[in-house]
Amino acid sequence: GLLNVTGSMAWSSGDLNGGGGLTRVAVGATLVMSGPTARTINAQTLEIAGIGVWFESATINTGGAGTLRVAATGSLEIQADPTFSFSQGGTPSLFQNLGAVLRTVSTGIVTINAPITNAGSFTIQTGIVDLRGNGTLGGGFTVPAPGVLRFSVGTYAMQPGFAVIGT
């Protein structure tokens, strides 16, 4: 089923599980991910078409094709050192960026331990973004100092339009 969020959504604990459903944070709506408790996306898609902010370093465990998608109209600002991890089994999960992802504030490590598709913009202003799954990269990564983009594990297909710009 579809859960369409048109106002504000705070996700501080709990899981999105089962059935191939979609939770969509609509254009003009806001998602705040905070709290130290690990969460799960399993056989669900969490789509940010509005604005998302990830404040805490909690892990999102995924499985069964669980997907975190930043839509073309959406943005996700990552201010902490979280992990997005394919750890629940089943069909591999996906971190999919079609919009804008911005890494700010913390100087630690954001770990994406799942396949990634980037067709949007991904800016790393501070800290490290560590890619540890396979992926398809067609959008741009902007990495001004002191930001770091690290490819630790996996095979990445670079598509037309892929670029890394940094200092």
Side-chain angles (χ1 to χ4, degrees), residues 132-147:
R132 302 185 62 79
N134 299 316
T136 302
L137 307 176
F141 284 85
T142 303
V143 190

Side-chain angles (χ1 to χ4, degrees), residues 17-154:
N17 279 312
L22 171 64
T23 299
R24 177 182 296 133
V25 178
V27 173
T30 303
L31 167 67
V32 175
M33 293 185 283
S34 63
T37 305
R39 283 149 245 170
T40 300
I41 301 174
N42 192 356
Q44 289 273 323
T45 296
L46 174 58
E47 179 180 77
I48 303 167
I51 297 169
V53 182
W54 200 342
F55 282 113
E56 295 287 337
S57 297
T59 296
I60 294 180
N61 295 301
T62 65
T67 299
L68 175 61
R69 176 186 305 132
V70 180
T73 58
S75 66
L76 175 61
E77 183 176 353
I78 304 170
Q79 296 184 355
D81 305 322
T83 297
F84 181 83
S85 182
F86 171 55
S87 58
Q88 301 294 303
T91 303
S93 299
L94 182 63
F95 186 102
Q96 182 179 42
N97 178 36
L98 306 170
V101 175
L102 178 63
R103 165 68 160 134
T104 64
V105 182
S106 180
T107 58
I109 300 172
V110 172
T111 303
I112 300 175
N113 189 19
I116 180 172
T117 298
N118 183 54
S121 66
F122 202 125
T123 302
I124 305 165
Q125 292 181 345
T126 61
I128 299 167
V129 172
D130 187 18
L131 303 181
R132 302 185 62 79
N134 299 316
T136 302
L137 307 176
F141 284 85
T142 303
V143 190
V148 175
L149 173 61
R150 182 167 61 198
F151 296 88
S152 290
V153 178

